[in-house]
Amino acid sequence: MSSLGGGQPGEGGLPPAAPEVEPADQAQVGTDEWVARVDERRAAQKGLSGVVVRGWERLPAPARLIVLLGPFAIFPFITNEGNLYRYGLLTLIYALLAMGLNVVVGFAGLLDLGYVAFFGFGAYLYGIMASGHSGHHLQAEIAIPIVVVSTALVGLLLGLTSWRLLGDYLAIVTLFFLQAFVIFVNNANGGLNDFSYPFVGKVDLTGGANGLDRIDPFNLFGYHITTTKGYYFFTLISITLLMTMLYFVNGSRTGRAWRALREDPLAAEVMSMPVNRLKLLAFMFGAAVAGFSGTIYGAVQSGAFPGDYDVGLLITIYAIVILGGLGSIGGVVIGALVVNGAPELLRSSSNARFLFYGVLLLALFLAMRPWYKPLLVLLGTVAFGFAVHGIASAVWSRGTAGHISGGGPLGRGLEHWVLLPSHTSSIAGWAYFALIVAALVLTLLRDWWRALALIPTLYLAAFVWENKLVEQVSGATRLIMLGTLLVVIMNVRPAGIFGTSRVEIV
Amino acid sequence: MALLELRDVSKAFGGLQVIDHLSLHVDEGEIVSVIGPNGAGKTTVFNLITGIFHVDSGEIVFEGDKISGLAPHRITNRGIARTFQTLRLFLNMTVMENVMAAEYGQTKSTLLEAMLQLPRSRKEEKQIRKLAEEKLGFFGQRLAGYRHGQPAYSLSYANRRRLEIARAMATNARLLLLDEPAAGMNPHETHEITELIGKLRDDAGYSILVIEHDMHVVEGISDRVIALDHGIKIAEGLFDDVATHPLVIEAYLGVRAETEEAV
């Protein structure tokens, strides 16, 4: 299997190995080959998801690139400036950044917790070379290569300390490096406590806690990139090129050696691979990519601020890489889309509502077998809701007096189904508590009892959502939803969206 | 001249003398077996030869050059490759990739060349793929074409052992160190491995140093047998001589009660 998306790589751009063997169709029951393919047949997915997966695997690599990035190329023409920045540009910058981390962690298996320091280093270094703050205005076509090479060298220095470190120890040292970087940029403003450099004395390098402001927009060969759209396409082109190159690297001797080193460093060393040098190379490569994305981020923000390059960003980038699938080249794009896009989308209550009911339905249909059971539960819940609503409107008029917040077509429909008391606060609080109890009770029930108990529980969940959670949709609810979404995705695709599951010990 | 020579090699872990002034040699085209009870230091000898451990004293010479002290990957590039007693394949890579990865030392193209798909990178890639197919072809139906794209973890135990040997062959070695190649195999597979080791020497021209517990295998393949106990060579020679050597019997079975009294 060769794929941009899959963890198992293609071997360069070379033609497939031997034409002599055609899969499964020729194989005879009982022959050596038929027996050898038993796992494959068992793992073959059925139904719609199977069709999608097989279709994806059959696509040649360039077609996959188009399927993945094509929508991004269209996006600027169908949206406004603000959305393009929030959903498009930031997603792309995160994806680019995550692509470098994917080499370090996903390919070479080095747990680098200082990775975003290189991102910050790139932004600051570009700012020092081209900003109103520093007074220099270097052109981007000169500044960017300088940044890329210097970040790679810093990566080399950090890598050298890791020469003999593995796993947990490497994580600690690199995390320390990140903290040291943040403290350094917070203080290197040429102030009283700052140290004086040889030859130049005290210099305001980073602007300290106020940040390095007025960073120049890219001036590439005299062409100034000033719009969001401009940076968007610059980043998109960079990602396309980097993905293509990574695809080639993955199937080359270096890519294979990185993956071998991840699998078993000792065996890799004994099988003629210079493990330490390969580790350094991975570190440098990742750092260079991070430095490059840092320049873009610095220019887009027209400033570099210490708080932007802290552990929070590190966690986001790791989430992207893991969600997309460790070691998968295409996965990081989808990972960035989910991790960056979902919280932004959830800011609006009608979007959040669609997601809430969508996830409920999806979970219901995925978790319950056979297929008619969730369908019965669903119909039962709908009927139950209308019945409760009908009774309530006859005997408890306050219970249906409220209105849906947010609205939308789904919201208007729900007004006739879910109970909406006019003063909700205390009732909704108790309902929230009852929902948790009901969810716990559900885990104790079996089979049809559980299906039966699900009906009021689902209705209760809808009640809690419409009366309590939806009001705080831009606050706590958004995070709860995001967490739930991640849990659901990780359950459906444990190795990440594009990841292939890894076997540790067999 | 001997292909590989250990001259008076010693190795201690803390106070435990694992290898004690050991000398041995493997000639070109020879199959030499190392036997001995558990803990005799057999695998340590392999780890010393391949550079995973460094010798405390003495030296290891390969084709007339001293190799003790070199990094493991350099020793492999000189022409010594090994397999592991507890299999250490790259489980999540395909069968083909496992073999191609071991050809790292014979290729030169850089990361940049691979990124830009420059001619040298593509040419090398074609060459090593062909070489890898050749090495896998040595195992006939067992690692045949349709298996090349399968992940290594999907192979059976016996096939993993074969793949490890194929991977060692791919490093372009002249001397193979096989650490218990027949461990965990059924009698039929053991027989196959015995034939395979013979073929490795006769058809493919490798010299082989092998650690093995199965005496049928040792009897079937060895030109010469070396018996170790507590890091000391207690016997060396033809299989029949070593197998009946009193010190070897003592090492495996212990000393008779009356002999003990006599001592």
Side-chain angles (χ1 to χ4, degrees):
Chain A
M1 178 187 77
S2 79
S3 76
L4 263 182
Q8 301 296 339
E11 282 88 31
L14 294 170
E20 82 238 35
V21 197
E22 277 302 309
D25 7 339
Q26 277 187 1
Q28 299 283 304
V29 174
T31 60
D32 204 11
E33 177 174 354
W34 185 84
V35 174
R37 287 183 181 278
V38 64
D39 280 337
E40 241 169 86
R41 283 196 302 279
R42 254 186 224 148
Q45 282 173 301
K46 309 208 164 46
L48 188 64
S49 58
V51 172
V52 173
V53 170
R54 276 191 296 275
W56 175 256
E57 277 170 6
R58 229 173 268 147
L59 280 180
R64 281 184 213 169
L65 196 66
I66 291 169
V67 169
L68 264 180
L69 296 179
F72 282 93
I74 301 167
F75 186 61
F77 302 107
I78 55 170
T79 187
N80 60 33
E81 186 88 348
N83 280 341
L84 181 64
Y85 175 77
R86 277 191 297 153
Y87 299 123
L89 185 55
L90 285 184
T91 301
L92 285 186
I93 292 178
Y94 282 157
L96 188 63
L97 183 57
M99 231 168 259
L101 184 66
N102 194 28
V103 169
V104 184
V105 183
F107 284 8
L110 303 167
L111 191 56
D112 177 6
L113 295 185
Y115 183 70
V116 293
F118 299 121
F119 184 56
F121 183 84
Y124 272 103
L125 190 61
Y126 177 67
I128 288 167
M129 287 189 289
S131 72
H133 184 92
S134 68
H136 306 292
H137 297 281
L138 210 59
Q139 283 157 309
E141 74 264 19
I142 302 168
I144 291 176
I146 294 178
V147 169
V148 170
V149 171
S150 337
T151 346
L153 287 178
V154 177
L156 176 69
L157 285 180
L158 180 62
L160 278 176
T161 66
S162 74
W163 193 264
R164 295 180 64 84
L165 298 178
L166 273 177
D168 307 349
Y169 290 101
L170 180 64
I172 294 167
V173 170
T174 49
L175 187 61
F176 164 78
F177 172 73
L178 172 61
Q179 293 306 314
F181 172 79
V182 172
I183 291 172
F184 172 77
V185 294
N186 251 315
N187 290 289
N189 58 354
L192 283 176
N193 297 324
D194 200 8
F195 38 69
S196 94
Y197 299 91
F199 307 117
V200 289
K202 289 204 176 195
V203 186
D204 179 5
L205 274 181
T206 65
N210 294 329
L212 198 166
D213 55 349
R214 287 170 288 149
I215 292 186
D216 293 353
F218 279 166
N219 172 6
L220 276 168
F221 304 103
Y223 178 78
H224 294 259
I225 302 181
T226 46
T227 59
T228 306
K229 206 183 255 186
Y231 282 106
Y232 182 87
F233 279 113
F234 182 79
T235 318
L236 186 60
I237 291 167
S238 309
I239 286 189
T240 314
L241 290 178
L242 187 64
M243 270 175 89
T244 314
M245 287 175 181
L246 277 180
Y247 176 72
F248 288 140
V249 169
N250 195 21
S252 77
R253 74 195 275 265
T254 315
R256 269 195 305 273
W258 276 338
R259 282 181 286 127
L261 146 72
R262 174 192 76 198
E263 295 290 318
D264 190 332
L266 179 70
E269 173 79 40
V270 174
M271 288 300 133
S272 83
M273 288 162 256
V275 164
N276 281 328
R277 217 184 308 156
L278 284 162
K279 275 200 245 172
L280 282 185
L281 196 63
F283 249 103
M284 288 174 69
F285 189 87
V289 173
F292 177 65
S293 14
T295 58
I296 300 178
Y297 190 65
V300 167
Q301 300 264 306
S302 72
F305 308 98
D308 284 359
Y309 309 104
D310 214 336
V311 177
L313 178 66
L314 183 74
I315 293 171
T316 309
I317 299 301
Y318 262 92
I320 290 172
V321 172
I322 293 168
L323 192 68
L326 270 178
S328 141
I329 300 170
V332 290
V333 176
I334 303 299
L337 204 58
V338 173
V339 171
N340 183 53
E344 293 295 331
L345 276 174
L346 286 173
R347 278 183 200 280
S348 113
S349 57
S350 65
N351 282 342
R353 178 173 288 124
F354 270 114
L355 193 69
F356 174 77
Y357 290 109
V359 167
L360 268 190
L361 283 181
L362 194 67
L364 192 66
F365 277 88
L366 282 178
M368 274 191 127
R369 295 282 144 78
W371 62 272
Y372 53 82
K373 219 166 166 186
L375 197 68
L376 286 178
V377 170
L378 186 65
L379 291 175
T381 313
V382 171
F384 182 79
F386 281 121
V388 172
H389 196 272
I391 295 168
S393 60
V395 299
W396 186 43
S397 56
R398 190 166 77 81
T400 54
H403 289 283
I404 287 262
S405 61
L410 182 61
R412 278 194 295 280
L414 284 169
E415 277 192 354
H416 302 289
W417 182 69
V418 76
L419 286 182
L420 294 159
S422 45
H423 310 291
T424 55
S425 53
S426 69
I427 302 176
W430 282 107
Y432 189 68
F433 182 69
L435 179 62
I436 294 171
V437 174
L440 291 177
V441 170
L442 272 185
T443 61
L444 299 177
L445 297 174
R446 290 275 163 267
D447 280 338
W448 285 102
W449 288 110
R450 175 182 286 188
L452 202 62
L454 253 177
I455 292 173
T457 311
L458 283 176
Y459 186 70
L460 192 61
F463 178 80
V464 171
W465 170 261
E466 295 300 346
N467 287 295
K468 186 172 181 72
L469 295 179
V470 86
E471 285 163 16
Q472 295 153 11
V473 79
S474 58
T477 304
R478 192 161 63 110
L479 299 179
I480 296 175
M481 291 290 290
L482 184 64
T484 317
L485 182 69
L486 293 185
V487 168
V488 170
I489 293 178
M490 292 283 177
N491 262 302
V492 178
R493 304 277 308 163
I497 296 172
F498 275 83
T500 37
S501 52
R502 266 187 213 161
V503 177
E504 298 295 339
I505 303 161
V506 186
Chain B
M1 188 184 63
L3 183 67
L4 174 81
E5 207 176 343
L6 272 67
R7 292 181 188 152
D8 211 21
V9 167
S10 293
K11 175 73 185 173
F13 295 129
L16 182 68
Q17 194 70 38
V18 190
I19 300 295
D20 200 357
H21 297 283
L22 177 72
S23 297
L24 62 82
H25 68 97
V26 180
D27 289 327
E28 187 87 49
E30 200 180 17
I31 299 179
V32 178
S33 300
V34 181
I35 62 168
N38 292 326
K42 304 182 296 292
T43 299
T44 306
V45 171
F46 274 24
N47 285 338
L48 288 171
I49 297 173
T50 50
I52 295 171
F53 298 152
H54 295 297
V55 296
D56 292 342
S57 65
E59 60 176 5
I60 300 171
V61 176
F62 183 69
E63 293 184 318
D65 299 322
K66 185 182 160 199
I67 56 164
S68 42
L70 292 179
H73 69 267
R74 292 195 192 284
I75 294 176
T76 309
N77 283 335
R78 293 284 178 97
I80 302 178
R82 69 172 289 181
T83 65
F84 293 89
Q85 181 183 356
T86 52
L87 293 161
R88 304 191 76 142
L89 288 169
F90 309 127
L91 283 181
N92 293 297
M93 295 165 69
T94 64
V95 169
M96 188 55 137
E97 283 178 328
N98 264 277
V99 181
M100 286 171 78
E103 283 158 1
Y104 187 91
Q106 301 156 58
T107 44
K108 295 242 155 24
S109 63
T110 60
L111 178 59
L112 202 67
E113 282 171 282
M115 282 165 78
L116 304 175
Q117 286 292 290
L118 296 184
R120 179 160 77 157
S121 171
R122 287 160 58 176
K123 205 179 92 202
E124 279 184 352
E125 200 64 18
K126 254 177 226 161
Q127 282 169 352
I128 62 170
R129 177 176 288 276
K130 203 163 143 260
L131 203 69
E133 273 167 12
E134 220 176 276
K135 303 294 179 196
L136 285 169
F138 193 80
F139 296 83
Q141 200 55 38
R142 297 297 185 177
L143 295 174
Y146 63 87
R147 281 215 166 89
H148 291 180
Q150 293 176 343
Y153 64 70
S154 72
L155 294 181
S156 71
Y157 186 81
N159 274 337
R160 288 183 194 189
R161 287 240 174 254
R162 294 186 185 102
L163 179 56
E164 253 210 347
I165 296 175
R167 190 177 68 170
M169 289 163 73
T171 60
N172 213 12
R174 278 179 300 291
L175 174 67
L176 293 181
L177 311 182
L178 307 178
D179 199 344
E180 297 201 27
M185 292 198 168
N186 66 33
H188 178 69
E189 289 164 340
T190 306
H191 180 70
E192 261 184 61
I193 278 284
T194 313
E195 283 185 349
L196 179 76
I197 294 173
K199 257 177 70 188
L200 279 174
R201 193 253 315 260
D202 300 336
D203 301 353
Y206 291 101
S207 313
I208 296 166
L209 182 63
V210 55
I211 295 174
E212 187 48 65
H213 274 302
D214 189 320
M215 286 306 150
H216 294 294
V217 178
V218 175
E219 185 178 9
I221 58 173
S222 313
D223 295 325
R224 193 149 52 83
V225 177
I226 295 168
L228 290 186
D229 191 25
H230 298 299
I232 301 166
K233 183 158 75 180
I234 52 174
E236 181 175 358
L238 296 173
F239 176 81
D240 290 333
D241 300 339
V242 173
T244 52
H245 195 285
L247 279 174
V248 176
I249 295 169
E250 185 191 316
Y252 273 93
L253 300 176
V255 190
R256 276 172 195 275
E258 59 264 25
T259 338
E260 212 165 17
E261 276 164 31
V263 174

